[in-house]
Amino acid sequence: TSTRRPFFFKITSKEDAKTPTFVLKKDNNKENDQIIDVKQMPSEIIKRNASATGPTQMQIETRDLWNMTIIDTPGLIFNPDQ
């Protein structure tokens, strides 16, 4: 199994954020940014991974974390049972 798209995970500190906000940034199959519930995240990422190219970008706005960006690049996942 392999991942197909890079994943940019951007955490933004926002002092006035009462709760964390999860935003999937627009890409070639979505016209606008999409605010999602954390429970929707896996299914939305799977949909985008299957239907588009280029990186998937998610932004989390919260007051409890520092600003940072984590990048997960595509690669192979070793599975000895296959």
Side-chain angles (χ1 to χ4, degrees), residues 30-41:
K30 296 282 184 185
E31 292 184 17
N32 299 308
D33 293 352
Q34 180 180 11
I35 297 174
I36 62 169
D37 183 82
V38 70
K39 293 175 185 175
Q40 294 174 294
M41 192 183 319

Side-chain angles (χ1 to χ4, degrees), residues 51-74:
S51 64
T53 60
T56 299
Q57 299 183 40
M58 170 164 289
Q59 181 169 335
I60 297 176
E61 297 173 347
T62 184
R63 65 177 174 194
D64 299 324
L65 298 171
W66 293 339
N67 292 335
M68 71 175 76
T69 301
I70 300 168
I71 302 170
D72 180 21
T73 57

Side-chain angles (χ1 to χ4, degrees), residues 13-61:
S13 181
K14 193 172 181 182
E15 283 190 32
D16 61 343
K18 294 181 181 178
T19 60
T21 303
F22 298 85
V23 181
L24 273 171
K25 305 304 274 181
K26 68 179 178 177
D27 63 15
N28 60 357
N29 67 341
K30 296 282 184 185
E31 292 184 17
N32 299 308
D33 293 352
Q34 180 180 11
I35 297 174
I36 62 169
D37 183 82
V38 70
K39 293 175 185 175
Q40 294 174 294
M41 192 183 319
S43 62
E44 286 297 323
I45 291 170
I46 289 168
K47 279 194 266 184
R48 287 180 181 225
N49 194 35
S51 64
T53 60
T56 299
Q57 299 183 40
M58 170 164 289
Q59 181 169 335
I60 297 176
E61 297 173 347

